[in-house]
Amino acid sequence: MKIISVVGARPNFMKVAPLHRAFKKFRSVHHMIVHTGQHYDENMSKVFFDDLELPKPDVYLGVGSGSHAEQTAKVMVEFEKVLIREMPDLVIVVGDVNSTVACSLTAAKLLIPVAHVEAGLRSFDRTMPEEINRMVTDVLSDYLFVTEESGVLNLKHEGVSDRKVFLVGDVMIDSLMLYREKAKLSAISHQLTVKCGRRILARSYTLVTLHRPSNVDETENLRTILKIFQGIERHGPIIFPVHPRTRKRIEEFGLSSQFAAVKNLVLTEPLGYLDFLSLMMDAKIILTDSGGIQEETTYLSIPCITMRENTERPITIEVGTNVLTGLSSDKVISLVDDCYADKWKKSRVPDLWDGKAAERIADILVNAKTLEH
Ligand code: UD1
């Protein structure tokens, strides 16, 4: 059985790594990894292969950045050549990035079965490109592997046959559980201490990641983020690994010196998987607009503020540590104050987030009599 898994952008690598590991146990499976090159900087891509012990991709498409249509189209053109050459029995796509939708569409047109890992999640907000990617990918998929109950219900409402839907847990949590101990050996807090001259101690800092166009592509929104930093810096260091999109915008809008003026703000390049996991495990609180970090903080029991109007991962709010604020400086500052005063809701780990999701997926796919389309 030849299976191709697709990676493209930073949040894909930690999802495919446990699948690759799970398929290794089956001698009948030849598992290939195709990297579209949607993300290409060393610290957005290669460092994850090293940290997650992923082999070099079998094929690298080198697509790079571009508008949505350009990027999606380039992936399709290049991926089609690979599929025609390799003719796999199945294509696995993960998450909701442009590479996900591009590769599922290419495979479906060649009548190659598609499995979507992290299917069924919906924010019901089509201004997010990821929502469109999720919906289209799910329509085209033959196997839909779901992380939380809401995903099962969404797919049911959309008329997807139960036969195709499998609630298996969260492959990203598989990676987190596997690498948690190793992440404790990371020297990142020491390096940041040296860099900024303030001690980065466990539970004494706020960790931030922001890269959604809705937060960083408008000057006004970046100014609100600045105001939030000014309002919370009295609690201690704010560590902010800056995504390339965000860095570009801060520079374009001429805000670099204002960010630099926030005394307790520590700006860094994007970090690798183990370094970021280490910072996440020791943070007092995390401010984010990422999808995956909402889940990782819920698993780790670390308070999380998601600066978005909605989430496709409602379980992280219902039972986890996550709170939605949108981009409201008052709300965020007051919640951060609460957190440093040790007031936060109780949480628990969602069902099936137990480190075995990839094994369940591999078992289902290998035992499927014929991979159906
Ligand atoms: C993409 C995903 C988003 C995911 C995020 C994680 C889509 C639609 N969006 O957003 O869901 O949360 O990745 O990081 O697929 N750039 C670099 N180096 C790189 C990659 C990007 O400098 O290695 C810069 C380029 O200027 C590029 C910009 O970042 O234009 C945005 O990259 P892109 O992949 O288009 O979208 P992301 O914002 O990274």
Side-chain angles (χ1 to χ4, degrees), residues 104-142:
S104 51
L105 187 49
T106 312
K109 294 258 180 165
L110 289 172
L111 306 185
I112 297 168
V114 176
H116 184 202
V117 174
E118 215 180 80
L121 297 179
R122 296 289 179 270
S123 64
F124 303 101
D125 173 2
R126 289 197 197 184
T127 64
M128 274 183 88
E130 292 80 2
E131 181 72 355
I132 296 169
N133 294 346
R134 289 179 204 117
M135 291 189 317
V136 175
T137 302
D138 284 346
V139 164
L140 298 171
S141 294
D142 304 280

Side-chain angles (χ1 to χ4, degrees), residues 11 38-41 65 68 97-98 130 211 243-245 248:
Q38 177 174 344
H39 284 174
Y40 43 87
D41 286 349
S65 303
H68 284 277
V97 300
N98 285 345
E130 292 80 2
H211 71 281
H243 187 281
R245 171 191 287 278
K248 226 164 105 180

Side-chain angles (χ1 to χ4, degrees), residues 199-220:
R199 293 194 71 193
I200 305 297
L201 298 170
R203 311 284 165 247
S204 75
Y205 60 87
T206 302
L207 182 62
V208 180
T209 76
L210 294 166
H211 71 281
R212 296 273 164 218
S214 58
N215 281 335
V216 305
D217 281 1
E218 306 284 336
T219 323
E220 261 331 289

Side-chain angles (χ1 to χ4, degrees), residues 139-204:
V139 164
L140 298 171
S141 294
D142 304 280
Y143 296 84
L144 296 103
F145 295 110
V146 183
T147 51
E148 61 167 86
E149 195 62 45
S150 74
V152 175
L153 291 176
N154 294 333
L155 293 171
K156 203 185 250 316
H157 290 151
E158 289 172 21
V160 178
S161 154
D162 290 350
R163 212 169 42 86
K164 297 181 177 181
V165 178
F166 305 88
L167 183 61
V168 289
D170 193 332
V171 286
M172 217 180 41
I173 301 299
D174 294 3
S175 282
L176 191 157
M177 289 175 73
L178 188 62
Y179 286 105
R180 213 182 155 155
E181 288 306 311
K182 201 169 172 194
K184 288 185 184 158
L185 305 176
S186 156
I188 189 67
S189 44
H190 175 66
Q191 286 161 8
L192 291 176
T193 298
V194 172
K195 179 179 162 166
C196 73
R198 283 178 295 276
R199 293 194 71 193
I200 305 297
L201 298 170
R203 311 284 165 247
S204 75

Side-chain angles (χ1 to χ4, degrees), residues 272-293:
Y273 183 72
L274 295 172
D275 286 346
F276 190 76
L277 180 52
S278 159
L279 286 178
M280 201 158 43
M281 290 191 299
D282 281 345
K284 181 76 180 173
I285 183 165
I286 302 196
L287 313 187
T288 192
D289 57 12
S290 147
I293 290 170

Side-chain angles (χ1 to χ4, degrees), residues 22 32 321:
M32 296 174 68
T321 55

Side-chain angles (χ1 to χ4, degrees), residues 202-333:
R203 311 284 165 247
S204 75
Y205 60 87
T206 302
L207 182 62
V208 180
T209 76
L210 294 166
H211 71 281
R212 296 273 164 218
S214 58
N215 281 335
V216 305
D217 281 1
E218 306 284 336
T219 323
E220 261 331 289
N221 294 347
L222 274 176
R223 284 187 192 283
T224 306
I225 290 166
L226 198 55
K227 193 169 161 200
I228 292 171
F229 291 164
Q230 288 159 347
I232 64 172
E233 68 163 334
R234 66 201 161 79
H235 292 299
I238 305 165
I239 301 174
F240 184 13
V242 188
H243 187 281
R245 171 191 287 278
T246 312
R247 184 172 295 277
K248 226 164 105 180
R249 296 293 183 245
I250 291 176
E251 284 164 9
E252 243 172 63
F253 300 146
L255 294 171
S256 306
S257 55
Q258 297 191 48
F259 274 87
V262 182
K263 217 173 79 264
N264 253 338
L265 180 60
V266 185
L267 299 172
T268 76
E269 291 296 312
L271 298 172
Y273 183 72
L274 295 172
D275 286 346
F276 190 76
L277 180 52
S278 159
L279 286 178
M280 201 158 43
M281 290 191 299
D282 281 345
K284 181 76 180 173
I285 183 165
I286 302 196
L287 313 187
T288 192
D289 57 12
S290 147
I293 290 170
Q294 299 173 62
E295 296 179 346
E296 290 169 329
T297 47
T298 276
Y299 181 81
L300 293 169
S301 237
I302 302 288
C304 176
I305 294 179
T306 299
M307 290 159 59
R308 287 174 39 193
E309 299 296 335
N310 47 55
T311 179
E312 61 290 334
R313 294 163 160 92
I315 193 93
T316 61
I317 296 191
E318 289 154 17
V319 310
T321 55
N322 191 19
V323 179
L324 278 185
T325 57
L327 194 54
S328 154
S329 52
D330 289 348
K331 272 193 207 162
V332 175
I333 293 169

